[in-house]
Amino acid sequence: MKHRIVVLGAGYAGAFAAGNLARRLSPADTEITVVNAVPDFVERMRLHQLAIGQDVAFRKLADVFAGTGVRLRLARVTGVDPERRTVAVTGEDGDGELAYDTLLYALGSSVAHHGVPGVAEYAFDVTGLSSALRLRERLAGLGEGGTVLVVGEGLTGIETATEFAESRPDLSVALAARGELGAWLSPKARRHLRQAFDRLGITVHEHTGIEAVEPTRAIAADGTSIPADVTVWSAGFAVHPIAAASGLEVAETGQIVVDRTMRSVSHPDVYAAGDCAYATGENGRPLPMSCASAGLTNMQATAAIIARLTGSEVPTTGLKYYGNHISLGRRDAIFQMVDGDVRSKSWYLGGRTAARLKSGVLKGAGSGIAHPTFGMPKRKRRLATAPDRVGVRVAA
């Protein structure tokens, strides 16, 4: 019986990983299945563009994996049983169960409400396709002079606020930051960011924590009322509680605790990649939830899976950040270089050149997803031993 590899999630981490596994492993020995809740590959880094009304086309996963040998199961994951090595799913065909020999958990993250009253009921976000489409519909119905408040001064908040202000100059856009806007940037990059906000007419409420969201306003910690016909919540990410409920060892964040090769420290048949992996970078700190982390962790996870199944030495791939790339609308951006401790260096790139670079990064990621087995070797690697019903356990 073939060795069954199941990949949960087809975002940046899961889709790339599935393609890499199909590219390297022989279909004579392995069977790769990807489980995803929606039929499209959703480019999360473009969801703020979709929300403001821009034309953003997403690729169908059926087309992405056509001819690769990867099986696609459109369903929502409802549970994982690492002792029985099964995954519970539900979809159009009803409830079901998938058995695996190796599991790659890449279900990503969603918006973190932090227990703030009113966020779940009244706020919008751009962390998923359905939520971005809901926001798109709301913004389309918002007339001239409508107020939009973006909560959160991280990369998502900055990109959302600037995109909205540039695309809809008829709206009044504001951003609420717990600290100083762009505090982590170098002085020159911070100045560039502030100039962009001034140019786009974005109001910034610094040192302002939001403690409640209502239908037409947000309430700050000091009691200040900030008008908001639409509140967009971008104050962090949270993972689904499925991993914690499954019995896998997780961190306080709910992320799966993994070793240097992205292998679960509690269950060796399980690997994690992307936002749901609690992985330590080369600087000794946990990797942040980001698209960059998805790339780093999925490359390490797939390299480890392939090596262990084929009896090879497990390689270690880089887990180091080189910089933050922040879009400021379609014609401006900031690329900030960082050091080994993820502290901003003095050098940065800004303006149209940085915007073109960011556009190239997005197109490159999309192209990689569209051709998951590009450069497929003529001879794929066979497993170290013949797979059986209980799975291959070699080179552990």
Side-chain angles (χ1 to χ4, degrees), residues 5 22 24 38 54 74 122 180-181 215 275 277 284 323 358 362 375:
I5 301 175
R24 303 287 301 283
V38 297
Q54 296 177 21
L74 293 179
Y122 306 119
E180 179 185 350
L181 179 66
D275 288 353
K358 179 63 179 285
L362 292 173

Side-chain angles (χ1 to χ4, degrees), residues 264-318:
S264 165
V265 298
S266 62
H267 292 79
D269 297 318
V270 178
Y271 293 77
D275 288 353
C276 57
Y278 190 81
T280 301
E282 294 178 9
N283 59 5
R285 302 174 185 174
L287 293 175
M289 297 185 190
S290 68
C291 181
S293 293
L296 297 174
T297 55
N298 100 71
M299 286 189 290
Q300 177 60 81
T302 53
I305 291 170
I306 292 166
R308 289 192 171 108
L309 291 182
T310 58
S312 306
E313 182 179 352
V314 178
T316 55
T317 62

Side-chain angles (χ1 to χ4, degrees), residues 122-309:
Y122 306 119
F124 296 80
D125 66 82
V126 290
T127 59
L129 180 58
S130 60
S131 57
L133 289 173
R134 189 170 72 92
L135 176 56
R136 180 186 178 103
E137 182 178 2
R138 177 70 180 95
L139 291 172
L142 200 59
E144 182 176 354
T147 55
V148 177
L149 174 67
V150 178
V151 180
E153 70 273 29
L155 304 185
T156 302
I158 291 173
E159 292 195 339
T160 299
T162 52
E163 197 77 50
F164 286 12
E166 181 182 85
S167 297
R168 290 285 304 274
D170 59 313
L171 300 177
S172 176
V173 179
L175 182 141
R178 280 191 170 274
E180 179 185 350
L181 179 66
W184 76 93
L185 295 171
S186 63
K188 290 183 179 179
R190 193 181 312 140
R191 186 161 52 249
H192 185 115
L193 177 63
R194 289 187 174 277
Q195 290 172 349
F197 268 61
D198 290 342
R199 170 173 54 82
L200 294 169
I202 302 170
T203 301
V204 181
H205 302 278
E206 292 184 312
H207 307 288
T208 302
I210 300 301
E211 297 205 342
V213 176
E214 298 179 359
T216 59
R217 65 175 184 168
I219 309 299
D222 62 0
T224 301
S225 175
I226 303 175
D229 296 315
V230 175
T231 297
V232 183
W233 195 260
S234 59
F237 304 110
V239 299
H240 198 283
I242 286 178
S246 71
L248 293 165
E249 183 171 335
V250 298
E252 291 183 0
T253 58
Q255 295 167 287
I256 299 172
V257 180
V258 295
D259 63 14
R260 181 58 178 77
T261 67
M262 303 303 125
R263 195 181 205 177
S264 165
V265 298
S266 62
H267 292 79
D269 297 318
V270 178
Y271 293 77
D275 288 353
C276 57
Y278 190 81
T280 301
E282 294 178 9
N283 59 5
R285 302 174 185 174
L287 293 175
M289 297 185 190
S290 68
C291 181
S293 293
L296 297 174
T297 55
N298 100 71
M299 286 189 290
Q300 177 60 81
T302 53
I305 291 170
I306 292 166
R308 289 192 171 108
L309 291 182

